[in-house]
Amino acid sequence: MSITMGTTLASLVTNKRRVSALKSLGIVTVGDALTYYPFRVTEPVPLRAIREAAPGQQMAFAAVIRDMRVVPMNARRGYRLEATVDDADFARSRRVPGSTARLTFFSYRKSYVDWVSMRLRAGTSVVVSGMPSEYMGQLQFTHPEILTVAPGSAGAGAGLEGYARGAASGNGAFAGSTDPYASVQSAYPPAAAAPSGAALKYDADTVQEALTRVCRPRPVYHASSRISSEHIHETILGLLWMMGARTSSTPDGQLAGAGSAGIVAPTTDTIAVQNGEENSGTTAESGAEALSQSIPDVLPESVRKAKNLMHRAEAFLAIHDPASTARFKEAIETLRYEEAFVSQTSLLKARSHAHKSAAHSCPLVTDSLRDQFIASLPFSLTAGQQQVIHDIAADLAHDWPMQRLLQGEVGSGKTVVALAAMLQAVDAGYQAVLVAPTQVLAEQHAETIGRMVEQLKPAIPVTLLTGGMKLAARRKALAAASSGEPGIIVATHAAFSKTFQAPHLALVVIDEQHRFGVEQRESLNAKTDDGTTPHLLVMTATPIPRTAAMTWFGDLDISWLTELPGGRKPIRTVVVNEADAATMGRMFAHIRARVDTGERAYIVCPRIDADDEENEGGSGVSAAAGSARGRAAASGSSARTAAGGRATRAAADAIGIDDPYETFDENGETVARPPLHAVAEIADRLQKLPQFQGIRFATLTGRDKDDVKTQVMADFAGGETPILVSTTVIEVGVDVKQASCIVIFDADRYGLSQLHQLRGRVGRGGTNSWAFLISRAEPGSPAEQRLEVIHHSLDGAEIAQADLEFRGAGDVLGDAQSGGKSSLKLLRVVKDADMIADARTRAEQLLAADPELAGEVQLAGAVLDFTRGNETFLTSS
């Protein structure tokens, strides 16, 4: 069976529970497994004899089992297994006296105890790796790693000196060109024969092999309650073996020869197919060749040699089975550069293809609708708005499609800029579409735009099209669009449906562009009858540092709006410890006072109701999925459970938090945290407080029907329900000028940029405004440090920069965990800016010589996969 990066694990791994656990981590194919990178690598474990042990310091040694017993624990259910080991021969090789130590295991499962008992029978040669401690005056290793050595193998006596010296050197090059054990017979007595009917399997053929395996650096992966880091590692090594790898990567760039630690063949209990089993004598060289055939290189050979990078197959091997920490880092750098090169090649190709398309030219005319509109505004445009409007006007006059990203602070006036552009298209006799991510926002845009253009001559038709409209109204809106009459259409995702036709479409404006995939945006290109491509203006209020924007939006021209319109007052941000009852009480009293003066308040919670806890795996949501998968229409985001599983659609609707800061222990497993607050729970609690007696509350979540959302927002804006308890459905674009206070529960679990977005919902009417961030973060913890950033800054770019540094670029700007199957897992936008610039320059040179990548088939495929997988280059944060 030929195994490729696209082969599914279900066809290779016989343990179906493991397949399911890996799938919950997003690992479905061989490629997913090999690109599931460890988050750290352990340092080499030093060799020490038992007499050299220091409590609390990791060590490894070879020994023999002298005796073993199983003791039932009477006080509590379960068993304790104790084995005594003697390292006399190993200690002699280190020129110290031999000694004994106790290995201790605890378990409630009799089957586990029986399994360990069978492995640790008296006389068995073992290699032990663990952390020593002292118990009742004797050295003890609790749950150490044990590798059993086949009887009759090379021993642990004479000849160990060379190995010990190599291991002690600390450079990870434990394996020499010769085997120091080759001429030495075991000094240990042979293990007793296996019980009748039991085929005892040993972990290693020689002591040297076992010592090398436990001493070499080891990768540690983000794990879950369903699968450990060790089992993830075991599976990946098994896949590499099946694809041809037989020995580990060494610093000279080749696979190691004789005497090195080999990758152990997976058992048929784990792997269904073992590639090349019949060639048990596979050489290192042919193994390397086989692996490179299964894993072809993506980078052009000229680029790889110029940058002195590893082959892709070699890099995977060095990451998942590193000979040294330096080798691991070198491999990571190789694949990081590969990501930079593929992403920049993809963006450059997208930009060149756009310039080859035809578009409707929309030049400015005398006494234009755009100029009438600007003159009618009751305020003066900022200098930034004027410049961006001028740049867009020049773009629209071309006969090739504009592709521009407009980034603006919350409340910086992006809608005015977009409307000016749409009026320029209408003036030229064409249609313009504004696409909003939610019905609430689309209705708000339609109402605002309708008011702004009602005085213009000639009259401008403004058509609203949403999925929640009644059938008759929807048909009327679709008919207006399909007529081709010049005008403005405001739509939700309904604009991407097959029933929507706009034959004279010249301009598409995407509001909060991260909510829409590339394929959706491109579907609007097919709405024109004459084969032209509409001009495209995408807008986002999510702050992006300039380096990041230039990196990921290299196919777009970029404009920034950094000035806020006059009359806005800075929002006062207060971090409140939820355990501080006195401060919480004063905060609620303050909100009541603001409500009594006619103002409004938002209360934001990450979950809809307490019953959603079961969808979280009991402890909150994960980073990675928070931003992702296009964020279900209103609620905000998808969720990944603390157990590592991806949540269902119901959970996606239930949890609106973008929690990129999931914490892991040293083994990569998620650390449990308090359950998130829910809308239903908080609404019920607040209404019972004396501060809110007589005040009507409303709730709003992503599960509410569209007509309910519309009515709730109308009642909130009108003051009938002056306090709105909601999920992050209000995060984007909701504009209630009377709103002056926002309270965000579980603020320590949100991304900084998402907090900045939520904070921007208040203070839009020129009144004094407050944002209260309710936190359960421990004093001095990283979570508390993050909140200090947003506490002291109103600068979106500064906050986004801090977000990138805290989270890593992938979580903010799109990686495998933030939108489908992104190719970005290692690249760091800020720290790798120089690398990205270098990759862009080399990609430009390559495309200049070979625009269609006809000579680089693997790179062309990777670029295509990148484009398909990164439907959201920017995730809401």
Side-chain angles (χ1 to χ4, degrees), residues 601-651:
Y602 297 106
I603 312 289
V604 178
C605 305
R607 282 199 327 220
I608 294 178
D609 53 54
D611 292 339
D612 296 318
E613 182 173 353
E614 63 181 337
N615 289 325
E616 297 175 72
S619 71
V621 249
S622 134
S627 321
R629 293 179 289 282
R631 282 213 183 206
S635 169
S637 73
S638 302
R640 183 164 66 100
T641 69
R646 305 235 176 211
T648 61
R649 174 59 186 266

Side-chain angles (χ1 to χ4, degrees), residues 654-848:
I655 302 172
I657 192 173
D658 167 19
D659 178 6
Y661 305 116
E662 187 172 24
T663 53
F664 300 90
D665 62 21
E666 63 179 12
N667 293 319
E669 297 199 23
T670 50
V671 176
R673 293 183 290 181
L676 299 167
H677 288 299
V679 168
E681 162 214 350
I682 292 298
D684 181 63
R685 284 170 51 186
L686 295 186
Q687 290 179 83
K688 295 176 181 177
L689 292 178
Q691 292 95 326
F692 296 121
Q693 291 302 307
I695 297 294
R696 290 186 61 192
F697 281 69
T699 62
L700 183 66
T701 74
R703 287 184 187 164
D704 294 329
K705 295 184 181 300
D706 288 335
D707 57 340
V708 173
K709 293 176 186 174
T710 301
Q711 187 60 51
V712 167
M713 289 307 301
D715 290 346
F716 178 65
E720 293 183 38
T721 51
I723 297 180
L724 178 63
V725 185
S726 76
T727 59
T728 53
V729 65
I730 58 112
E731 176 186 350
V732 175
V734 173
D735 188 4
V736 177
K737 299 193 183 307
Q738 299 90 339
S740 64
C741 296
I742 185 167
V743 178
I744 305 171
F745 280 92
D746 294 305
D748 52 302
R749 306 276 288 275
Y750 287 78
L752 294 183
S753 294
Q754 190 179 24
L755 289 174
H756 183 61
Q757 282 274 73
L758 289 167
R759 178 170 62 180
R761 297 308 104 208
V762 298
R764 304 174 77 87
T767 60
N768 290 322
S769 53
W770 293 263
F772 299 98
L773 310 181
I774 312 303
S775 168
R776 288 183 280 186
E778 295 291 332
S781 66
E784 185 182 62
Q785 294 169 22
R786 291 193 299 269
L787 290 181
E788 283 303 301
V789 172
I790 200 142
H791 178 203
H792 294 294
S793 178
L794 293 170
D795 184 334
E798 179 183 333
I799 291 167
Q801 181 76 22
D803 215 8
L804 281 173
E805 292 169 359
F806 277 121
R807 302 167 62 166
D811 291 321
V812 181
L813 298 174
D815 67 4
Q817 302 155 331
S818 65
K821 287 178 172 284
S822 161
S823 306
L824 302 175
K825 299 187 178 184
L826 298 172
L827 202 59
R828 303 163 303 185
V829 173
V830 177
K831 294 181 180 178
D832 296 330
D834 291 342
M835 176 187 289
I836 292 165
D838 179 87
R840 190 176 184 87
T841 299
R842 294 179 188 272
E844 286 173 342
Q845 295 170 355
L846 177 67
L847 289 172

